Structure formats: C-alpha cells, structure tokens
Amino acid sequence: MEYTAVIGLEVHAQLQTDSKIFCGCSTRFGQEPNVNTCPVCLGMPGVLPVLNKRVVDYTLMMGLATHCRIAAESVFARKNYFYPDLPKGYQISQYERPICEEGWVEIPVQGGARKIRITRIHMEEDAGKLVHEGGGGAASLVDLNRAGVPLMEIVSEPDIRSPEEARAYMQTLRDIVVYLGICDGNMEEGSLRCDANISIMPAGSETFGTRTEIKNMNSFRYLAQALEYEIQRQTEVLEDGGRIIQETRLFDSAKGVTASMRGKEEAHDYRYFPEPDLVPIRIDPEWVDRIGAEIPELRSEKIARYVQDLGLPEYDAEVLTGEPGTARFFEDILAHGVEPKKVSNWVMGEYTRLLKDKGMETARISPEQVAGIIRMVDASTVSVSGAKQVFEEVFLTGKDPDAIVREKGLAQVSDEGAIEEEIKAILEANPQQVEQYRDGQEKVLGYFVGQVMKATRGRANPRLVNEILIKKLKGE
Ligand code: ADP
Ligand code: MG
Ligand code: ZN
C-alpha cells in the first residue's frame, strides 16, 4: 500500500538577547560552567522573575513576520516536571494563552510554493545542561548557564508532507529569524532545534495516523534522515499488521535509526497553571505597529527582488542571500552604481572563495573598493586577471586599489600608439607567420597575440591587441 507522511514540527529558537528572560544574567555561550547564574535562574526560594521586554519584542516580531494573530493579552504558565537541569522544578512557558497564534509561512517546493500553517508561537525559558562525567554514570554535573536563556517555540500544524518539505520549512524559519536578527540560527550550537512529529496514513486518506515524536534534531540533514527512517519503520509496522504506538523517540545519527525514549504511559503530566509571579502581558496596537515597522526585507523578498528588479539569475539570488551579511555586502557595493551581475560575480566568486580559503569571517575590502575594481575592469585600466590580484590584496590588507595597481605595475596598456609599436616589431621579426596568416591560416593570430602579451608582460589591453593585429595583418 502507498502511504502519505504527515509531519508537524515544534521548533525552538534561542533569542539573541544579552540577558536572560527573567533575570539580568548574561546569555553568552561557551563560558565556564555556572558563571552566568544568580538566585533567580538558580531557582532559589523567594526570588521573583522579571520579564525581559526584548523577548516580547522579538517574539512579536516573529509573529508578525509569519502572519500570526497577536494576542492583546497573553499569560505565562508553569510547566511542572522534575529533572536535575531544571532547578525550580518547573519551566516558565506559555500554554493556553500564547502571544501569537494562527500564522503561516510559505515554503519553496518543486515548481512553486506551499503554505504551512503555524499553530502558535510562545516564549519560554531554556533549562540547564547535564554533563555526564566518566563512563558508566560515575557522576553527572550540571551547568546552569543556559537555565533561563530565552526561547521562542514555533509549533506548526501537521501540514508538512515529506522529509524534504520538513527541511524546507526549517530552512524557511531559519531564514526568517536570521534576517530579523532575533536568533543566530546556529544549529550545531543548538540555537535552533526542533522536535519532529510524524505519522503516516494510506494515500488519499484524510484521517491522520498515530504519531511519534522525534526529539531534539539539530541539523537539517539529521532531520530529513530521521524522518525518512521513521516513515520506513512505521510503514513496516503497518505492513506487518502492527499498530504504531504514540511515543517519544531519539535519533541516533551514527546508526541512522530512531529508538524509543519513552512511551505514552511514561509521558509527563505537566499540570500547567498560570504563573502567579508574572502579570499578564498586554500588547497594545502601538506596540504592534512599532515592531511591525522594524521588520526588514526578508530573504524570500530579497530573492524575488534580485530576480525581478536586478535581473539576476535565481541561482545568484539564492547564493547572495544565503546569509544576511553577504546580501548586505552585495547591496552596499550595488549602491555605488555598478552593474548587478558584475557585482554578483565578484561576490559569489572571489569574495566567497577568499573568505573560505583564508578562513576569515570578514574581509578588509570595502564595498566602495569592490565597486572601484569593477570600474577599473570596465575601463580596461586592468585586465580581469590583474583585477583578481588587486582584489585579493585589498581583501587581505584593505589597501587602496589604485596604489596596488601602481606598485605591482598592473596597469593595462591601452595606449594604441605603444601597442602598435610592439605589434610592428613583432610582425617584422616573424615574416614567415605573417605569410601563413595571409595564406588563410587564421589561427596564427593566436600566436601573435601571445607574442604581444609576452612583450608587454600581459599588460596590453587584449581587445586593442586583437583589433590592431588584424588590421596590420590584413595590411591596412
Ligand atoms: P503536544 O501538546 O503533545 O506536543 P500538539 O497537539 O501540540 O501535541 O502537537 C504537537 C505537534 O504535533 C504539532 O506540530 C502538530 O502539528 C503535530 N501533530 C499533531 N498530530 C499529528 C499527527 N497525527 N501526525 C503528525 N504530526 C502531528
Ligand atoms: Mg510537544
Ligand atoms: Zn540569573
């Protein structure tokens, strides 16, 4: 039998605030264990949480960017469970009254786009991290630097139909948060991760099957692999006449399989109730308007504009917008009035290559300098290969491109008289080849071009060399 997969994702995004959600502790990553803590995030008795307003701003921004309805009043809730990385014994989250509901995003699919509905977006605090020392469970330590770091959870409707779509959806959310500047989108560090819910049903059916939930996926590739595996596994269970049991599973990336972590019977009963230590969050229309006005052009909009208004190929538009920093650099060069496709070629080519080869995060070269180098090529002041040398040097040092051209003697000879002199001398020294050309062996032209370039150490303007050579050879 043919089956259709039904997938819904719960995505956690760490918000890029300087301080935690309910206290003033730093959110900095990679610190010594437990240095970013205070009585509030350590869960000491008698302390009171104070909400970080920026967390609300950011979540609101995400809600608007994903077409959600913003709740005029929303509340925090306590999600009770015991685990050593959660010092209070409960997590402050949102439950019945989240800040954003009923939104959607569009994901690219083969030959078009699909809408994936968003059920809700809410704010919550992260838990700490357990560090298991010595094999065999000799000891477990706890690092609470992450306890209280702000998270935004984005829950989708079960609208996703394949692992590829799940990946595209995750990528779309990453693009949005990264362009909004509210999350760094770093999946390896866990700043963006998801739980994937998946079931299968006979193709054509409208009744969803029983789902399993795969916890904590932190890479696009693993997400797709885990879902592929789970579709396969669930299909085999049903084909063998078995039943899918609702359970939480973990993906083992080394083995490429999912395994049961806990069943429905062991599922937590969180006993949610409204958080008594925090007042409801009221958001007035002015607040919504103010945040709405801060939303920048998003990646999907940029791609459309680059293709439609700048006439760039779709491929270029996708590469240039892969990271907001690259798109910004591209647009800053463009602002100097140079041709978009030329800028694109330099940014996708030399710029990207050098960043990678030199292992650098940012280049010394300024947008203005890139524009200047493009103009030098346009004006035939330097050859393309000369321009690449200049580019690399400016990229590494930030030095003035004109000075580099002078120092390295890269200026292209575009003086017709000088080129003509060289050509005359070369033709006189090679009468045999001249004869051959005049007898119809036109490929000898290449030989002459080579000779002129050699004589000028590659600096002669190739267009002029060709023009003048042909004229002279034809005896004009
Ligand atoms: P819970 O509260 O147990 O996490 P939710 O109803 O909030 O459950 O759903 C969690 C996620 O599971 C959502 O993203 C939703 O789209 C998805 N989901 C719900 N039912 C199914 C199903 N039958 N198959 C696949 N995914 C589902
Ligand atoms: Mg869930
Ligand atoms: Zn703290």
Side-chain angles (χ1 to χ4, degrees):
M1 196 185 317
E2 279 286 312
Y3 292 95
T4 302
V6 172
I7 301 165
L9 299 189
E10 294 164 273
V11 176
H12 285 97
Q14 184 183 318
L15 295 171
Q16 256 177 321
T17 55
D18 294 332
S19 58
K20 294 186 178 181
I21 183 170
F22 299 123
C23 62
C25 291
S26 167
T27 55
R28 183 111 60 89
F29 186 80
Q31 302 279 92
E32 284 285 300
N34 297 308
V35 294
N36 296 341
T37 55
C38 74
V40 173
C41 56
L42 289 174
M44 297 292 177
V47 297
L48 283 174
V50 177
L51 177 60
N52 181 340
K53 180 159 171 285
R54 184 148 292 171
V55 172
V56 184
D57 286 343
Y58 284 179
T59 311
L60 183 50
M61 192 180 263
M62 184 63 180
L64 292 174
T66 56
H67 316 95
C68 284
R69 189 159 51 72
I70 308 300
E73 187 174 293
S74 68
V75 297
F76 280 102
R78 280 192 188 179
K79 180 178 181 178
N80 299 282
Y81 67 95
F82 176 76
Y83 201 65
D85 64 4
L86 187 74
K88 293 196 293 289
Y90 59 84
Q91 177 194 27
I92 304 181
S93 179
Q94 293 196 291
Y95 188 53
E96 282 170 331
R97 302 178 67 190
I99 180 169
C100 310
E101 285 182 284
E102 295 177 5
W104 53 268
V105 292
E106 226 166 37
I107 61 163
V109 292
Q110 199 79 53
R114 273 199 62 208
K115 244 182 210 179
I116 305 297
R117 289 170 299 157
I118 287 172
T119 315
R120 54 187 275 147
I121 304 177
H122 69 250
M123 303 171 276
E124 62 185 26
E125 59 180 337
D126 207 346
K129 197 175 85 181
L130 288 186
V131 184
H132 304 289
E133 289 260 299
S140 285
L141 306 174
V142 64
D143 175 5
L144 295 171
N145 283 345
R146 214 177 57 190
V149 162
L151 298 178
M152 166 174 81
E153 178 170 342
I154 307 146
V155 182
S156 85
E157 288 291 310
D159 286 349
I160 300 163
R161 289 290 171 271
S162 69
E164 251 333 289
E165 283 187 12
R167 190 191 176 120
Y169 170 76
M170 194 72 187
Q171 178 71 53
T172 301
L173 289 190
R174 182 182 187 275
D175 289 341
I176 298 174
V177 296
V178 166
Y179 269 84
L180 291 178
I182 62 177
C183 167
D184 66 19
N186 190 329
M187 296 185 72
E188 288 104 78
E189 287 181 7
S191 307
L192 192 66
R193 49 192 197 259
C194 79
D195 302 335
N197 297 268
I198 175 161
S199 62
I200 59 171
M201 62 183 178
S205 165
E206 278 174 13
T207 315
F208 293 166
T210 303
R211 70 185 150 112
T212 58
E213 177 177 15
I214 316 165
K215 278 276 176 208
N216 258 324
M217 310 298 312
N218 68 345
S219 102
F220 290 114
R221 199 157 56 87
Y222 292 161
L223 171 64
Q225 279 177 4
L227 289 171
E228 289 290 358
Y229 177 84
E230 199 51 22
I231 291 172
Q232 188 68 32
R233 188 191 68 83
Q234 292 188 11
T235 303
E236 280 165 20
V237 170
L238 294 186
E239 299 278 82
D240 289 349
R243 269 184 333 111
I244 305 297
I245 40 173
Q246 188 172 340
E247 61 182 356
T248 303
R249 300 178 70 87
L250 281 181
F251 181 61
D252 180 337
S253 59
K255 296 202 186 108
V257 303
T258 66
S260 182
M261 180 174 123
R262 61 167 178 258
K264 202 179 179 182
E265 306 75 42
E266 306 142 77
H268 301 295
D269 174 2
Y270 296 119
R271 298 186 183 260
Y272 282 99
F273 65 86
E275 168 59 62
D277 288 343
L278 289 161
V279 295
I281 307 141
R282 296 216 173 83
I283 297 176
D284 55 24
E286 287 75 46
W287 194 349
V288 175
D289 289 347
R290 186 158 41 76
I291 297 298
E294 282 177 27
I295 295 180
E297 184 180 38
L298 298 177
R299 184 178 182 202
S300 55
E301 297 164 331
K302 272 198 199 298
I303 292 177
R305 180 167 64 84
Y306 287 6
V307 172
Q308 279 153 27
D309 299 356
L310 303 180
L312 290 183
E314 182 102 24
Y315 175 79
D316 292 41
E318 301 227 345
V319 174
L320 293 171
T321 57
E323 293 298 330
T326 313
R328 202 175 315 122
F329 189 62
F330 167 74
E331 292 181 20
D332 287 348
I333 301 167
L334 217 57
H336 291 87
V338 270
E339 213 181 291
K341 181 58 185 156
K342 286 181 183 161
V343 179
S344 170
N345 290 346
W346 280 99
V347 175
M348 294 202 310
E350 292 305 286
Y351 178 74
T352 311
R353 181 183 70 77
L354 286 167
L355 276 184
K356 204 160 127 237
D357 287 1
K358 311 281 175 194
M360 291 161 72
E361 292 238 324
T362 49
R364 294 265 157 70
I365 196 163
S366 72
E368 191 180 357
Q369 288 171 323
V370 180
I373 292 172
I374 292 173
R375 280 206 200 88
M376 283 181 185
V377 179
D378 283 348
S380 301
T381 313
V382 290
S383 65
V384 173
S385 71
K388 284 186 182 170
Q389 287 181 55
V390 178
F391 191 96
E392 176 158 353
E393 179 98 13
V394 186
F395 181 96
L396 295 171
T397 64
K399 263 168 67 175
D400 173 36
D402 290 316
I404 295 169
V405 169
R406 264 190 274 73
E407 275 166 32
K408 295 202 174 237
L410 289 169
Q412 195 162 250
V413 179
S414 291
D415 172 350
E416 286 195 37
I419 295 175
E420 224 176 302
E421 283 299 302
E422 292 289 355
I423 288 177
K424 238 161 91 186
I426 287 166
L427 293 188
E428 270 163 24
N430 297 281
Q432 228 179 316
Q433 280 84 350
V434 174
E435 267 320 298
Q436 285 172 353
Y437 183 87
R438 290 180 178 155
D439 284 347
Q441 290 189 44
E442 295 196 356
K443 64 175 191 297
V444 201
L445 182 67
Y447 166 77
F448 284 121
V449 173
Q451 292 298 306
V452 180
M453 285 313 202
K454 205 165 136 195
T456 58
R457 285 182 292 127
R459 286 160 42 214
N461 177 338
R463 187 181 50 79
L464 284 179
V465 171
N466 267 286
E467 268 176 31
I468 300 171
L469 257 176
I470 292 172
K471 218 157 67 183
K472 292 268 173 232
L473 283 166
K474 290 194 169 149
E476 286 165 19

